[in-house]
Amino acid sequence: MRPLVILTLLAVLVMAATCYESHESMESHEYLNPFLNRRRANDFIQADSRLRAITQERIRERSKAHHEHQRELCEDYYPCEMYAFRHGYPAAYKHYFGGRRRTK
């Protein structure tokens, strides 16, 4: 009878030691509050927003306005850029590239 009591107490102690669940051992406390604040919610979305920003930038590069293309062309040509500092980019583009027709 005595070994049965000792075995039972030992089984209860083993069960209590292995089944105890503390808050430190939990990986996530989300079940306590299912709603996240904005700062923590943004942590999950950043990777996707970076990809979206890269995609949007590529789209913007393809669909630039006509005057932006003219300004970039003028910035790449040093005399045109110097002329633009005095007279503005539209006048500089017209002065250096006005006779040509650029199609893209």
Side-chain angles (χ1 to χ4, degrees):
M1 183 78 174
R2 189 169 181 196
L4 185 62
V5 172
I6 293 174
L7 214 61
T8 306
L9 285 174
L10 188 60
V12 169
L13 286 174
V14 169
M15 186 181 70
T18 57
C19 294
Y20 176 72
E21 190 172 324
S22 68
H23 288 290
E24 290 84 21
S25 68
M26 291 182 194
E27 293 179 12
S28 162
H29 297 289
E30 292 176 6
Y31 74 96
L32 298 173
N33 185 5
F35 301 104
L36 298 173
N37 63 16
R38 290 180 184 177
R39 184 172 292 158
R40 287 201 51 217
N42 286 337
D43 291 341
F44 297 107
I45 301 174
Q46 280 183 353
D48 186 38
S49 64
R50 286 185 201 131
L51 292 175
R52 188 178 306 128
I54 290 169
T55 306
Q56 289 295 327
E57 183 63 29
R58 288 182 181 161
I59 290 171
R60 276 190 230 110
E61 285 176 1
R62 280 190 240 139
S63 60
K64 287 183 181 176
H66 184 65
H67 63 86
E68 287 184 53
H69 285 291
Q70 289 179 349
R71 183 179 179 132
E72 287 178 359
L73 186 66
C74 191
E75 286 175 348
D76 290 339
Y77 186 55
Y78 185 74
C80 182
E81 188 175 19
M82 290 297 111
Y83 192 89
F85 285 141
R86 286 187 180 169
H87 304 287
Y89 279 99
Y93 182 83
K94 187 180 280 187
H95 179 76
Y96 285 98
F97 304 106
R100 300 185 204 170
R101 287 279 184 189
R102 279 189 46 92
T103 57
K104 196 167 186 181

